[in-house]
Structures are given as C-alpha cells and as structure tokens.
C-alpha cells in the first residue's frame, strides 16, 4: 500500500531527523517536488528540497516516520 503526505522541512536539523526515520524503514520512501524525485534516505537529496512543500510517497508503514509526517504536514 502506498501512502502519500504533503510536508515541508525548514531546517537542516529537521532534514536529519526525517532522513534518519526514513533510513530505518525497510521499504522505499521518496519525496517529489514538481518533476524532481529524491530518495528520502539521502540527506543531501532531501536537503536540496529544504523549505519547499514536498509530497512524500511511502511503500509501507512505520510509526516513527508516520509521526514525523504528521509533525511536518502542510495544512
């Protein structure tokens, strides 16, 4: 099951927290901004999208990642 959520990360510390949670997942997590798709387990890739609203695509469930998706959700 694929889940998606719109988030915005605004500081390098938030990027580190998010990438750490994504890296602990055994499934793919991707970020999409316009036509750019980045692996959420890549610190530099996620950092390049800092301050942009990005769509997160998850291929599975992880409670830590789900908590961060709610924390950084764009309303």
């Amino acid at each position: 099951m694929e889940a998606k959520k719109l988030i915005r990360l605004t500081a390098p510390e938030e990027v580190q927290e998010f990438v750490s949670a994504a890296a602990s997942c055994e499934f793919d997590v991707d970020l999409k901004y316009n036509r750019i798709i980045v692996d959420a387990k890549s610190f530099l890739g996620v950092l390049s999208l800092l301050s942009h609203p990005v769509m997160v695509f998850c291929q599975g469930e992880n409670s830590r990642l789900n908590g961060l998706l709610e924390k950084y959700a764009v309303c």
Side-chain angles (χ1 to χ4, degrees), residues 5-75:
K5 185 85 167 180
L6 187 65
I7 67 165
R8 182 187 319 251
L9 302 171
T10 58
E13 296 79 19
E14 294 175 355
V15 171
Q16 180 60 43
E17 179 183 30
F18 183 80
V19 170
S20 176
S24 70
C25 298
E26 295 181 7
F27 50 86
D28 288 337
V29 182
D30 296 312
L31 301 179
K32 183 176 180 187
Y33 175 70
N34 291 336
R35 296 184 308 178
I36 300 167
I37 298 174
V38 170
D39 183 350
K41 298 176 184 182
S42 165
F43 179 79
L44 291 178
V46 176
L47 190 62
S48 72
L49 299 175
L50 190 66
S51 298
H52 294 289
V54 294
M55 186 65 69
V56 180
F57 293 91
C58 301
Q59 301 295 326
E61 286 285 321
N62 179 290
S63 60
R64 181 176 171 206
L65 184 61
N66 288 345
L68 290 177
L69 292 177
E70 290 302 318
K71 179 178 177 180
Y72 298 120
V74 175
C75 297

